[in-house]
């Protein structure tokens, strides 16, 4: 490990064209003219064209995405003509942070000079045709316990460099960067570097990675879609044969799974008791990772959005490189205590329950044409409670004389909690295909329950027996999905009717259209668990 006092002893502020000016070493652009245009005007034109394309795609995707600036993105690093549009989709999303984001921590792999660990360089700036971007040397110094210093691995490496012109364009001249190359390192080691540099809203994390390399496109898409699914479900480690930036990706997933190591959760990996489990749950609920889009080098810059089919292949046998872009949001309100909530004007859980139930009823009344009191319409309730603008996923359940009358919801967060609850309340009353729509005359007979869902987390079980043993009755919501895409979920409340894990799983399989008696031993059924905070009328 190179000590930072020695490493930055003669650092000034990097000069121009890779020289030194008495201010320190400026790392010159190594791949300008190869991976992207060396001419400043042509480079700006290309980036702006690709960002316009990304913005147009984002308009289709944004209704399903959380609000706010992503804390981290995963973007490809090939030549701009191949992967630039895929990267631009994520960078168009990061434009939300212009004026707020001042630092980008960029972590890429090592294609040319291998290292053990995560390496910064002596450079005080990185040069591109758009100008020199200062390196946040103070941040590197503060993270010196988890970094090494290695100039050769940065000298010709393109994975970090190709991100810098996009960042300069999106965030403007006040940006600083922390350029890092991750070589052979464990997910925890890379994760510890990210935790050390995490910062607040002024900092974004850029993970630079392509996917599979030089397989026939038909096969490459299959491999890449599997890798994309593993990343989206935090199944690590990702193997370097599946993503050249596997080490940086695994570091980000380590943060997603194990959290930011708050003072209360320092021993999270070593703890197996209830307190440790609470820490792990807290960590999982801190983040929301979403696929944005995917493509290959054979797609001529056409990006297929998340949830949409891939574009037609030009040549299924053409060897290609795969690309994908992801964004991850941080839930900055997770873990706020009741006292802190009162002091900051954020509703306590008890307050929130009353507001959510009132919102659901107001939405149903409005749908049925029953007059709401002034100031008690859905829009007014949302306006009066700013926390309802936070992203959230919910289910609304209606009962009548203790019998189910409607239940509609979503497992994935893609819009504000207020909008999600009010729309699902109407859907439960009018659009549950199992029941006739609720009539105005029935409204007084309804009882309402609102369930706010935590983030679904993969269960590392490969057999039915292991699943049934791992389930926590009364606590776990469960999602089962088979290899044909058939899927269904039970909320934790269903345990009241089906308290035995075997019966719970059997009925859920049947709900998904799968044989209730199905047994499996090789991971044929994907299992995810989640928890809910349920608010019911009494």
């Amino acid at each position: 490990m190179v000590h930072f006092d020695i490493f930055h002893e003669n650092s000034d502020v990097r000069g121009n064209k890779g020289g030194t000016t008495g201010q320190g070493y400026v790392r010159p652009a190594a791949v300008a003219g190869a991976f992207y245009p060396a001419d400043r005007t042509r480079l700006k034109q290309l980036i702006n064209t690709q960002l316009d394309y990304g913005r147009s795609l984002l308009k289709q995707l944004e209704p399903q995405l959380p609000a706010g600036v992503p804390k981290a993105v995963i973007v490809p690093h090939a030549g701009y003509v191949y992967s630039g549009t895929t990267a631009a989709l994520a960078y168009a999303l990061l434009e939300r942070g212009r004026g707020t984001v001042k630092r980008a921590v960029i972590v890429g792999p090592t294609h040319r000079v291998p290292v053990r660990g995560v390496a910064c360089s002596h450079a005080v700036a990185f040069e591109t045709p758009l100008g020199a971007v200062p390196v946040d040397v103070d941040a590197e110094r503060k993270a010196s316990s988890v970094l090494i210093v290695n100039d050769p691995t940065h000298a010709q490496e393109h994975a970090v460099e190709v991100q810098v012109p996009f960042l300069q364009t999106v965030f403007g001249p006040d940006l600083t960067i922390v350029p890092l190359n991750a070589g052979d390192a464990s997910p925890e080691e890379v994760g510890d570097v990210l935790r050390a540099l995490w910062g607040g809203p002024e900092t974004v994390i850029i993970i630079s990675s392509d996917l599979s390399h030089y397989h026939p496109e038909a096969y490459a898409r299959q491999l890449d879609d599997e890798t994309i699914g593993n990343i989206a479900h935090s199944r690590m480690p990702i193997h370097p044969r599946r993503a050249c930036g596997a080490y940086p990706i695994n570091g980000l997933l380590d943060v997603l799974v194990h959290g930011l190591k708050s003072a209360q959760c320092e021993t999270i990996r070593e703890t197996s008791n209830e307190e440790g489990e609470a820490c792990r749950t807290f960590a999982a609920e801190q983040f929301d990772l979403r696929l944005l889009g995917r493509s290959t080098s054979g797609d001529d810059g056409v990006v297929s959005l998340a949830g949409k089919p891939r574009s037609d292949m030009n040549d299924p046998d053409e060897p290609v490189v795969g690309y994908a872009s992801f964004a991850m949001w941080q839930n900055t309100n997770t873990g706020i205590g009741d006292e802190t909530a009162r002091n900051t004007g954020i509703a306590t859980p008890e307050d929130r329950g009353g507001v959510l139930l009132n919102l659901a009823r107001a939405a149903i009344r409005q749908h049925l044409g029953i007059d709401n009191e002034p100031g008690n319409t859905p829009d007014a309730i949302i306006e009066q409670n700013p926390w309802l603008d936070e992203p959230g996923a919910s289910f609304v359940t209606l009962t009548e004389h203790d019998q189910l009358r409607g239940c509609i919801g979503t497992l994935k967060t893609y819009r504000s909690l207020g909008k999600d609850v009010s729309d699902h309340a109407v859907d439960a009353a009018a659009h549950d295909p199992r029941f006739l729509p609720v009539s105005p005359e029935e409204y007084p007979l309804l009882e309402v329950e609102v369930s706010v869902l935590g983030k679904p987390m993969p269960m590392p079980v490969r057999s039915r027996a292991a699943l049934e043993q791992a389930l926590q009755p009364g606590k776990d919501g469960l999602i089962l999905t088979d290899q044909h895409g058939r899927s269904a979920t039970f909320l934790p409340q269903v345990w009241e009717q089906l308290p035995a894990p075997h019966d719970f799983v059997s009925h859920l399989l049947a709900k998904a259209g799968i044989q209730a008696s199905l047994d499996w031993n090789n991971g044929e059924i994907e299992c995810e668990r989640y928890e809910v905070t349920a608010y019911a009328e009494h």
Side-chain angles (χ1 to χ4, degrees):
M1 182 83 61
V2 178
H3 196 276
F4 264 66
D5 290 342
I6 298 173
F7 158 52
H8 279 306
E9 185 177 24
N10 297 316
S11 296
D12 326 325
V13 161
R14 292 137 198 188
N16 296 316
K17 304 301 180 187
T20 57
T21 65
Q23 292 288 325
Y25 164 66
V26 177
R27 190 268 193 190
V31 295
F35 281 71
Y36 58 85
D39 178 76
R40 174 186 176 90
T41 301
R42 287 185 56 221
L43 176 58
K44 290 179 68 175
Q45 289 173 340
L46 178 57
I47 290 177
N48 286 330
T49 298
Q50 293 184 328
L51 283 174
D52 283 342
Y53 178 74
R55 295 180 190 111
S56 68
L57 293 180
L58 195 58
K59 289 180 181 178
Q60 303 175 50
L61 201 59
E62 271 186 314
Q64 290 86 45
L65 297 178
V69 186
K71 180 63 183 181
V73 296
I74 302 174
V75 287
H77 54 233
Y80 282 14
V81 296
Y82 300 111
S83 70
T85 48
T86 306
L89 178 57
Y91 283 117
L93 188 58
L94 284 178
E95 285 184 311
R96 294 176 177 180
R98 189 178 181 94
T100 301
V101 174
K102 303 296 183 184
R103 178 175 64 182
V105 177
I106 317 167
V107 190
T110 59
H111 289 89
R112 293 170 174 81
V113 179
V115 294
R116 173 68 182 90
V118 182
C120 59
S121 73
H122 284 94
V124 294
F126 268 47
E127 182 81 20
T128 82
L130 302 184
V133 183
V135 171
D136 189 340
V137 174
D138 289 339
E140 291 180 337
R141 190 186 304 273
K142 290 175 183 177
S144 61
S145 63
V146 290
L147 288 176
I148 63 170
V149 183
N150 187 305
D151 284 331
T153 195
H154 281 275
Q156 298 297 317
E157 180 56 57
H158 65 272
V160 167
E161 179 183 326
V162 298
Q163 311 303 339
V164 178
F166 270 109
L167 289 164
Q168 290 173 288
T169 303
V170 168
F171 293 125
D174 296 332
L175 181 75
T176 63
I177 60 173
V178 181
L180 304 172
N181 287 352
D184 182 19
S186 70
E188 182 178 357
E189 288 172 322
V190 182
D192 284 345
V193 171
L194 296 179
R195 280 180 274 265
L197 295 166
W198 197 257
E202 82 291 339
T203 301
V204 296
I205 309 295
I206 311 295
I207 302 297
S208 181
S209 180
D210 295 338
L211 297 179
S212 67
H213 283 52
Y214 306 120
H215 297 290
E217 178 151 17
Y219 180 55
R221 288 185 174 192
Q222 295 178 25
L223 289 179
D224 291 345
D225 285 345
E226 182 177 328
T227 303
I228 286 167
N230 288 338
I231 295 171
H233 291 89
S234 305
R235 300 188 193 102
M236 60 178 174
I238 305 299
H239 196 280
R241 285 197 298 268
R242 292 295 189 90
C244 59
Y247 294 118
I249 290 173
N250 288 332
L252 183 65
L253 296 183
D254 185 78
V255 174
L256 190 151
V257 171
H258 295 115
L260 294 174
K261 286 187 173 179
S262 66
Q264 295 83 4
C265 295
E266 283 291 345
T267 59
I268 190 170
R269 288 181 179 79
E270 294 76 26
T271 306
S272 59
N273 58 17
E274 290 184 4
E275 182 178 353
E277 182 62 31
C279 286
R280 281 182 281 274
T281 301
F282 170 75
E285 291 177 350
Q286 281 182 289
F287 307 107
D288 187 354
L289 178 65
R290 302 288 189 91
L291 171 69
L292 301 176
R294 61 212 192 280
S295 70
T296 74
S297 56
D299 290 337
D300 296 331
V302 176
V303 181
S304 301
L305 287 176
K308 303 288 187 182
R310 283 186 180 261
S311 60
D312 292 337
M313 285 180 275
N314 295 324
D315 179 0
D317 297 322
E318 177 188 2
V320 297
V321 177
Y323 315 120
S325 58
F326 289 81
M328 188 177 84
W329 284 259
Q330 181 178 3
N331 180 4
T332 56
N333 291 321
T334 299
I336 295 179
D338 286 356
E339 189 61 36
T340 302
R342 294 187 191 98
N343 293 338
T344 57
I346 300 173
T348 65
E350 294 80 6
D351 296 334
R352 290 190 176 212
V355 171
L356 290 169
L357 292 169
N358 185 33
L359 174 61
R361 279 203 172 272
I364 295 171
R365 286 196 300 268
Q366 186 177 75
H367 171 74
L368 294 175
I370 300 172
D371 289 340
N372 280 304
E373 295 290 332
N376 201 40
T377 65
D379 288 345
I381 293 169
I382 291 172
E383 184 176 353
Q384 294 159 13
N385 296 275
W387 55 269
L388 288 171
D389 290 325
E390 300 167 7
S394 67
F395 271 73
V396 176
T397 304
L398 306 179
T399 57
E400 188 176 315
H401 301 305
D402 295 327
Q403 299 296 313
L404 183 65
R405 189 62 181 85
C407 181
I408 297 289
T410 184
L411 296 167
K412 301 292 185 181
T413 300
Y414 67 93
R415 57 182 173 181
S416 70
L417 179 60
K419 178 68 171 171
D420 201 66
V421 169
S422 58
D423 283 1
H424 287 327
V426 173
D427 288 338
H431 302 131
D432 189 325
R434 298 169 292 180
F435 304 98
L436 292 172
V438 170
S439 67
E441 292 75 23
E442 285 182 275
Y443 172 78
L445 305 176
L446 296 178
E447 292 188 354
V448 180
E449 180 174 281
V450 176
S451 299
V452 180
L453 276 66
K455 181 180 175 63
M457 298 300 297
M459 297 181 69
V461 295
R462 297 188 60 79
S463 69
R464 178 166 181 162
L467 168 64
E468 292 176 359
Q469 186 175 6
L471 284 171
Q472 304 172 89
K475 182 178 181 181
D476 286 338
L478 180 62
I479 309 167
L480 298 181
T481 307
D482 75 358
Q483 295 172 326
H484 303 289
R486 294 178 294 185
S487 182
T489 186
F490 275 160
L491 296 173
Q493 293 91 315
V494 176
W495 287 106
E496 296 176 10
Q497 288 78 44
L498 300 169
H502 184 78
D503 294 339
F504 190 87
V505 172
S506 294
H507 281 77
L508 185 52
L509 287 169
K511 182 181 178 182
I514 305 169
Q515 185 177 359
S517 61
L518 178 70
D519 198 3
W520 66 91
N521 290 289
N522 295 306
E524 298 94 326
I525 301 294
E526 180 179 290
C527 310
E528 296 175 280
R529 65 167 23 130
Y530 59 91
E531 297 183 18
V532 305
T533 303
Y535 305 101
E537 296 176 333
H538 300 290

